[in-house]
Amino acid sequence: MYAPQGVKLSPKMPVPDTMRAWVLGEPGELKLVEKPVPVPKRAEVLVRIDAVAICATDLEVIAHGPPAKVQGGLPFNKNWTPGHEYMGTVAALGPGVDEYAIGERVTVEIHAGCRQCKRCRQGMYTSCLNYGLNYGDVDKGHRANGFTTDGGFGEYAINNINTLVHVPDDMSDEEATLVVTAGTAMYGLTELGGLVAGESIVVTGPGPIGLLGVAVAKALGAEPVILTGTRDNRLQIGRELGADHVINVRRQDAVEAVQRIMNGRGVDYVLECAGAPNAIDEAARMVNRGGKICLAAFPHEPVPIDVAALVTNNIYLYGIRGEGKSATHRAAAFMAQKRFDATKIHTHTFGLDDLPTALRYARDRVDDAIKVVVKRRTEAVQQAAAE
Amino acid sequence: MYAPQGVKLSPKMPVPDTMRAWVLGEPGELKLVEKPVPVPKRAEVLVRIDAVAICATDLEVIAHGPPAKVQGGLPFNKNWTPGHEYMGTVAALGPGVDEYAIGERVTVEIHAGCRQCKRCRQGMYTSCLNYGLNYGDVDKGHRANGFTTDGGFGEYAINNINTLVHVPDDMSDEEATLVVTAGTAMYGLTELGGLVAGESIVVTGPGPIGLLGVAVAKALGAEPVILTGTRDNRLQIGRELGADHVINVRRQDAVEAVQRIMNGRGVDYVLECAGAPNAIDEAARMVNRGGKICLAAFPHEPVPIDVAALVTNNIYLYGIRGEGKSATHRAAAFMAQKRFDATKIHTHTFGLDDLPTALRYARDRVDDAIKVVVKRRTEAVQQAAAE
Amino acid sequence: MYAPQGVKLSPKMPVPDTMRAWVLGEPGELKLVEKPVPVPKRAEVLVRIDAVAICATDLEVIAHGPPAKVQGGLPFNKNWTPGHEYMGTVAALGPGVDEYAIGERVTVEIHAGCRQCKRCRQGMYTSCLNYGLNYGDVDKGHRANGFTTDGGFGEYAINNINTLVHVPDDMSDEEATLVVTAGTAMYGLTELGGLVAGESIVVTGPGPIGLLGVAVAKALGAEPVILTGTRDNRLQIGRELGADHVINVRRQDAVEAVQRIMNGRGVDYVLECAGAPNAIDEAARMVNRGGKICLAAFPHEPVPIDVAALVTNNIYLYGIRGEGKSATHRAAAFMAQKRFDATKIHTHTFGLDDLPTALRYARDRVDDAIKVVVKRRTEAVQQAAAE
Amino acid sequence: MYAPQGVKLSPKMPVPDTMRAWVLGEPGELKLVEKPVPVPKRAEVLVRIDAVAICATDLEVIAHGPPAKVQGGLPFNKNWTPGHEYMGTVAALGPGVDEYAIGERVTVEIHAGCRQCKRCRQGMYTSCLNYGLNYGDVDKGHRANGFTTDGGFGEYAINNINTLVHVPDDMSDEEATLVVTAGTAMYGLTELGGLVAGESIVVTGPGPIGLLGVAVAKALGAEPVILTGTRDNRLQIGRELGADHVINVRRQDAVEAVQRIMNGRGVDYVLECAGAPNAIDEAARMVNRGGKICLAAFPHEPVPIDVAALVTNNIYLYGIRGEGKSATHRAAAFMAQKRFDATKIHTHTFGLDDLPTALRYARDRVDDAIKVVVKRRTEAVQQAAAE
C-alpha cells in the first residue's frame, strides 16, 4: 500500500501503489502502462487526475518534444507522460503542506519553474532559465508538467503547490480543465497592460485561447471586443462569449473591417491566436500608435514582417507560451464568479483508455471538436455522453 | 522690430523680424529663404538656434516626408523647415512662461505631442494619436519639430516648454545637440525595463544611437555591454564609450560570439540599431528567455522573421522612434555629470549656409563622418575647423 | 446671441449669451447670478450642464477653498462657481475639436492639469505641479473644474476634451454624474496594482467612494470584497453593490472580523474611505505582507500611526485625491456595461435654484441622503420626485 | 571528516565537521559554541564566512527577536546564530548546483523566501507570507539568514543560491559585506520608480543605509542629492559619497533648507533613513505632488502624522525592510565598477572571538563607529588594525 515516509494521507482517499498512465515512446508513439504512483516532496502534493483537456501543444509535444526552444533546444524525451490541462483531487500531501487539503478539488497551471534562476526570482516562472533542466547532472528542479515532467494523461501526478488553483463545488471537472486556457489569455491581457476596461481589442483566431481570450477581455470590461476567424460556427461561439463584432476573414478584409468599426482609429490591443503568416503585419495595421500585440500563436516557418511599421508606430509585441504571473488564479476567479461560460468550447469527452481517439478528434477537428476532455471514470464519461 | 503682443523679450537679446531658414520644396529640394521669425504662444518659447546635428532621419524626411506611418500615412509637406537635433538660446517667452529665462541655453526633444489624445494623456507623447495633425480643419496642435512642424535648419524655432532641456555652461553647443540622440537610447533602455545595473546587453549597430546606447547602458551600470558592427573604427569608438566587448560581424558570427562571452546564457537586453534584415532573428538568439529587444532601427523592406522563437521564449520586442517619456532629461543629466563623452561621435562642423554640404557628408559618410553639426555662427565654425 | 469667433455651434442647440450660475462670495456664501456664457478655446468644448452631484469636497471647497494643499497653500478664491461631479450636453466646440459632437451627452472628470509640467508629462495630471496656477502672472493654464476653475453649479461650463467621457443613451443623467466617483475608486484600485481578479480587498467606510469602490472591485473580480462601516443601511447598499461580507464596526472589531474571514492571512488591498483616526493602523493590520493601502479619505488632524508596522511588513500606502490616469473611462465602461447599478447611492434630486437645500441635505445627511443630485430642468426634478 | 552524501567538495578547500559559532540564548545573551557544520541541500551552498558586518538590526534581533512583525508576531527563538551582512567563500555545493564554484568569493542577501507563497511567486520574496515558518509542523522552508535561520556570526552558513552575489577579486572582504546595505538602498530607489537620473532626492539620516543611499542615488544619476542629519562628520562622508548638498538639521530647518535648494518646487523622492518622529511629516513637505517617500527606518512608538498632506498631494509612501527584487545584484554591479567607495563607511574591524566588543562599538558608536566588521582570521584583523 502507498504510504511513503513524510507524506500525509487520508483513509477516505486511499492511494494505490501503482497507476495506469500513458507514456511516450518514439515520436508519436503512446503506450498505456502500469507504473508506480509518484511521491510528493516538500511543497508538493499528489493529485488524482479526474479530467484532462487536450491542447494543440499536446499534439506537438507527442510528435516533436517539448515546446520551449531554449538555447540549443530540448531533447525529445521518452518514457514520460504528457498532458498539461488537467484537474483532479488532492490525494496526498508532501511534507509541510497545509495550503491544500486531501479531498480538495484543484486545477493546475503548467509551470512551476526552478524557483532559483533570475527569471523565477523575478516572478517570470514561465521564462525559467533552467527550462527543462530536471534530470541528470544538471538537475535544477525545473518542472513544467506535461512539457518536461510527467503530466496529466494518467491517474496521478505530482504538483508543486505553486501550480494549484482551488476548484469550487459548482464548477464541473470539464470546466475546471479550461482554467489554464483562460489563464493563458489572462496572462496575455495582463502583459498587454492590465488596464483593459473600456479599451478596444481584436482577438485573431477563434481557437480555445482566442475564444477564452474574448471571454476574459469582456470580463475585464474591454469594449469593443472584435474577433476574427475563418469559420462561422467558431465566430458564433465567440459572440456568445462576449465578442461585440465578429469578422470572417474569408469574406472581409480583416484590417479594413476593424478600421471601419473603429472609425480608422485602430484598437488598443491585439491578442494574436491565429499563427497565420500575415498575422503580425495585419495586427500592426489594426492597432493604434503605441498599441500592443500579444502573440499567443505562431507560424512554424519564418514569415516576412514589415518591421518599419512596428518601429515608426512604437508598437509593443511579445510572445507568451502558456500562462504566467499567476494569471490562472485571476481567470479562475472570473470563472468561479460565472462571468463567462467556458464550457461553450468543450465539445467532446472520452475515457482515459480512449486517449488515442480523443487525440485524433482534437487533431483532425472531427465533428467540429474544439476542446476534447479525457476523464478518469468511465461512468462519468457515459453520463456526459448521455446528456 | 519683433515685439509680438504678450511675448516677453529682453533688450540683451534683440530678435529680428525675419530670419534665414532652409525650407523644403519638392522632395529632396532645400532652399535658403528669408522668413518671419515665429511667435511663441502659451507654454512656448522662441529658441535662437545655435547648433543642429544631422540625423539619418533628416535625410529621409527631406527625401520622403515625415517618418511616422500613421493610419493612411502623412502627406509630403512643402515649405517648412526640417532639422530636429538642435540646441540654442531662449530668445523670447510666450505668455505665462517662467520655467525658462531669456538667455538660457537649452537643447530640445522632438515631440510635444498634441497633449489631448489618449496616448499623450498617458505620458506616451511620442505615440500621439494626432501625429501630424497640426494644420487645416483637423488641427489638433500636434508638434514634432523637424518632422511635422518647423525645426532647426534655420535661425529661430518655436518650442513647447515640454520639449526643452537646460544646458549647463560647461557643455559645448555641439555636445548639447547630441542630448536627444542619447535620450533616444535612454528611452529604449527605459522601455526595456529600466533596472539595468549588472544586467547584460548587446547593442547592434554602431551608428549614433547605437554608440550613445553603449554609453548610456554603461552609465546605468550594465555589464557586460557588447557592441556589434562592421567597421573597426566605429567599434573602437564604442570601446571608448564603454563597450566591454566589441564584435566585428564581418569576422565573427555575432550570435556565437555573444553566446561565447555569455557562456551560452544569453543577454538580458538587445538594443537593435542596425536595421539589418536578419537583426531580429539574431537578437532573438542572443537574448535569454523572457529577454527584451528594443528596435531603434529597421530594414525598409519586409524581412523574414522566426516568430516561433519569439513566442516560445517569451520575448518582448518593441519599436521606438525617437526619444520619449522625458528620457532626454535623464540622458542630459548623465551628460552634465560627465558620465560619458558624447562628443566622441561628433566628427564635422559646418555653417548654416553650408547645410547641403553637411547633409552630403552625413549621407555619404564622407571622411568617416558620424555626427555632422551645423552652426549658426561662422566664426564658431572656423574655430572648430582650426582645432 | 452667443457666436464667438472660431467656435462651432449648431442651430439645433442655441446657446444664450448669459446664464445663471451660483458663485462663491465669502467662505460659505453662495449667490445665484447671471453671468456670460464662457467661450471654449482650442481643445475645449462648452458643456450645457444637465445634472450635478454633490460631493463632500464641495462642502469643503465652499467653506474653506480648494482642496489641494500645494506648497504654501492655495488662496480662498471668490467669484467663481464650484461643483465638480457634473454631466451634460455638448453645446459648442472650440477650434479644431472633432472628438465630440454638439448634442452628445458627456460626463466629466475634474482635472485637466496644465499639460506642461513634469507630472502632467508623465500622465499624472491630478498631481499637476502647477495646481491652481490658472490666473494672473503665473497662469500655467491649470484647470480643475469646481476646484480651481469654474465648475458645475451653473448652466454651462468649459471642459478640456481630456476631461470628457461619452454617456450612452440608456444611462440616466443622474447615473452619469456618478462616473467620476466610480472613477476615483477605479483609480485607487489601479494604483493598487490593477490585477485585482481573485484578490481580496477591504473597503473601509461606506460613503459614495467606498460604496462604488465595492462595486468597482467586484466588477474587476476581487474576492472576497469586505466592507466595514457604522451604519447598517449603508452596509446593506454595499451588499447590493457586491460586498461579500460587511462588518459593522460598532458591533465587531474590524481587524478581528477581517482576519476571521481571511483565516488570519490578511487581505491584499485596503481602500480606505473612512478617514477615521485609527484607519491606517487598522488597515496595516488587515493587509498581508507586501500589501497595499490606498487612502481616499483622511482625518483633518494629525493622528498617531505605527510606522514600524508599515516598514517591517513592506506595506505600500498612497493617497489619492479624486480620479486620475483616465480611470473615469474605465469606470464608465463598466457602468455602460451594467456591471453594477451606481444609482443605488443616488437618493435625492433638486432643481438648480434649490442648490442651498441640496447642499444641506448632503451635509446633514437629511433623510439618509447619500448622493444628492441637482438638475437644470425643473420638470425633470418633479418627475423624479413623483417616481 | 565532513563529507555528506550528495554534496560536492574540493580537496583544495577541506571542511571540518564542526565549527565555532555564536548562538543566541536568552534575549541579549550570546555564547560562542562548537557545533556541526551544516549541510547544503538542493539549490544551496555551504559558505565559509570570511567577514560579517554589524547592522542595527542585529542589535534588535539579539535583544528582541526577528524583525518582521508578521500576523501574531514571531517568537523569540533561541539556540541559533544571528548575523546577516556577511560574505565568504563557497566551500561545498548542494546537489545540482553549478551556478557557483568551490573557492568562489560571494556575498549574500538575507531573504531566500519560501519560494512557494503568493508574494515569493510574484518576485517579492522579502514580503514572504510564510516569513519565519521554517520549523516544526508548519515548515514552509522560509529562510532569512540571521533573522529566522542561522546567519553569519560563525564560521560557516548555508545559503540558497538565490541569495548569493559574486565578489570580484579586487573587492576586499570588508567592502563585500556592504553590498547588502547598498542593495537595501538600491531596492528603495527601485521601488521609488527606478528612473532616477536627473531627478532630485533627499536622503534623511546618514546611517549606513542613508550614506550608501546617497552613493547609489548619485550612481544612478540623481541630481541634486541632498542629505540631512545631525552630525557633521557623517554629513562629510555623505559629501564624499556624492551628496550635492548636506543639511545639518541641528542648525537649519530641514524643510526650509530643501525648499530653498529646490526653489520651492520640492524633490521627487525622499529616502527616509532617520526614523525620527517627525520624519514622515517633514518628508511630505519636501516632496512635490505625486512624489515618493521610501521608509527604510521607523520610530519604535506610534507618531502623529498629517495624513491629509499625503492624500491631497497624491504621495506614495512605502516601507522596506532590507533588500529585495535582487537589488543586491544591481548594487554589487555599481560597486564592482567602482562607482562609489562604500568602504568610507567601514570604520572598525574585530576578530570573530571579539564579537561582543564589536557589537558594543556598533551599538554605542564607540570611536564614531559606523560599520563594524568581524573577520574570521585574526591575522587579517591585525593587518587591518595596522593599516
Side-chain angles (χ1 to χ4, degrees), chain B residues 13-351:
Chain B
M13 198 159 168
V15 177
D17 273 327
T18 63
M19 66 179 188
R20 289 183 310 142
W22 290 90
V23 297
L24 194 56
E26 297 300 314
E29 182 195 13
L30 279 175
K31 276 178 293 194
L32 185 59
V33 304
E34 191 80 14
K35 64 178 185 181
V37 171
V39 176
K41 288 180 290 201
R42 173 182 296 282
E44 292 178 343
V45 305
L46 178 72
V47 175
R48 186 194 68 196
I49 297 163
D50 295 329
V52 54
I54 294 171
C55 168
T57 305
D58 288 319
L59 305 171
E60 276 180 55
V61 168
I62 291 167
H64 304 298
K69 287 192 178 181
V70 293
Q71 306 302 340
L74 290 176
F76 183 89
N77 277 328
K78 298 183 187 178
N79 298 319
W80 65 289
T81 298
H84 58 275
E85 300 186 344
Y86 58 91
M87 62 75 59
T89 306
V90 175
L93 306 176
V97 172
D98 61 2
E99 289 84 354
Y100 291 90
I102 294 175
E104 184 174 354
R105 292 170 74 230
V106 291
T107 187
V108 304
E109 56 184 296
I110 305 160
H111 297 85
C114 74
R115 300 180 294 152
Q116 71 198 52
C117 75
K118 174 175 168 166
R119 291 285 176 238
C120 283
R121 188 78 160 160
Q122 288 175 325
M124 293 175 64
Y125 52 85
T126 50
S127 297
C128 177
L129 299 180
N130 289 321
Y131 205 106
L133 300 182
N134 57 293
Y135 48 82
D137 289 346
V138 289
D139 182 356
K140 300 298 183 190
H142 176 266
R143 292 190 69 88
N145 284 358
F147 285 180
T148 64
T149 44
D150 284 324
F153 293 149
E155 290 185 304
Y156 289 92
I158 295 296
N159 272 80
N160 190 289
I161 59 167
N162 279 340
T163 63
L164 298 179
V165 184
H166 175 78
V167 173
D169 289 345
D170 63 353
M171 185 185 289
S172 71
D173 289 358
E174 289 81 352
E175 184 174 4
T177 66
L178 302 173
V179 165
V180 69
T181 306
T184 299
M186 177 65 97
Y187 176 48
L189 288 162
T190 302
E191 291 294 280
L192 285 166
L195 303 175
V196 170
E199 296 196 282
S200 48
I201 185 167
V202 170
V203 178
T204 53
I209 295 175
L211 288 170
L212 294 191
V214 163
V216 170
K218 200 68 195 176
L220 287 167
E223 186 165 349
V225 176
I226 305 169
L227 175 66
T228 69
T230 59
R231 282 175 292 169
D232 288 331
N233 60 335
R234 292 279 183 110
L235 294 172
Q236 177 54 29
I237 296 170
R239 269 195 195 282
E240 292 167 16
L241 284 166
D244 299 295
H245 304 271
V246 299
I247 298 168
N248 188 319
V249 301
R250 292 244 163 94
R251 291 197 295 271
Q252 300 179 74
D253 178 89
V255 175
E256 275 177 24
V258 166
Q259 291 295 7
R260 198 161 44 237
I261 293 165
M262 299 306 298
N263 291 319
R265 297 186 318 270
V267 292
D268 298 310
Y269 306 118
V270 174
L271 180 61
E272 207 298 279
C273 305
N278 62 343
I280 293 179
D281 276 359
E282 288 205 350
R285 290 159 58 214
M286 288 171 179
V287 290
N288 50 31
R289 283 177 67 79
K292 293 171 180 174
I293 301 170
C294 175
L295 304 177
F298 51 88
H300 283 81
E301 299 300 318
V303 290
I305 293 178
D306 179 12
V307 179
L310 302 176
V311 177
T312 58
N313 287 307
N314 229 83
I315 290 173
Y316 299 73
L317 184 78
Y318 29 85
I320 59 165
R321 183 75 192 231
E323 80 293 353
K325 293 193 181 164
S326 299
T328 48
H329 289 262
R330 295 193 291 283
F334 276 152
M335 286 169 66
Q337 295 161 17
K338 310 290 181 201
R339 299 294 176 97
F340 53 85
D341 179 6
T343 65
K344 285 185 185 298
I345 69 168
H346 168 224
T347 53
H348 296 76
T349 306
F350 293 91

Side-chain angles (χ1 to χ4, degrees), chain C residues 67-71 111 118-119 122 124 126-129 131 187 191 198-200 259 264-268 280-281 284-292 295-323 325, chain D residues 67-71 111 118-119 122 124 126-129 131 187 191 198-200 259 264-268 280-281 284-292 295-323 325:
Chain C
K69 286 192 180 182
V70 291
Q71 306 302 341
H111 296 84
K118 174 175 169 167
R119 292 285 177 237
Q122 288 175 324
M124 294 176 64
T126 49
S127 297
C128 178
L129 299 180
Y131 206 105
Y187 176 49
E191 292 294 280
E199 296 196 282
S200 49
Q259 291 295 8
R265 297 186 317 270
V267 292
D268 298 309
I280 292 179
D281 275 359
R285 289 158 58 213
M286 289 172 178
V287 289
N288 48 33
R289 282 176 67 79
K292 293 171 181 177
L295 304 177
F298 52 87
H300 283 82
E301 300 299 320
V303 292
I305 293 178
D306 179 11
V307 179
L310 302 176
V311 177
T312 57
N313 288 306
N314 229 84
I315 289 173
Y316 299 75
L317 183 79
Y318 28 86
I320 60 166
R321 183 77 193 228
E323 80 293 351
K325 294 194 181 164
Chain D
K69 287 192 177 180
V70 293
Q71 305 301 341
H111 296 85
K118 173 176 169 166
R119 292 285 177 238
Q122 288 176 324
M124 295 176 62
T126 50
S127 296
C128 177
L129 299 179
Y131 206 105
Y187 176 49
E191 291 294 280
E199 296 196 283
S200 48
Q259 292 295 8
R265 296 186 318 270
V267 292
D268 299 309
I280 292 179
D281 275 359
R285 289 160 56 213
M286 288 171 179
V287 290
N288 49 30
R289 284 176 67 78
K292 294 171 180 175
L295 304 176
F298 52 88
H300 284 82
E301 299 300 319
V303 291
I305 292 178
D306 179 12
V307 179
L310 302 175
V311 176
T312 58
N313 287 306
N314 230 82
I315 290 173
Y316 299 74
L317 184 78
Y318 29 86
I320 60 164
R321 183 76 193 230
E323 80 294 353
K325 294 194 181 164

Side-chain angles (χ1 to χ4, degrees), chain C residues 219-232:
Chain C
L220 286 167
E223 186 166 348
V225 176
I226 304 171
L227 175 65
T228 70
T230 59
R231 282 174 293 168
D232 287 331

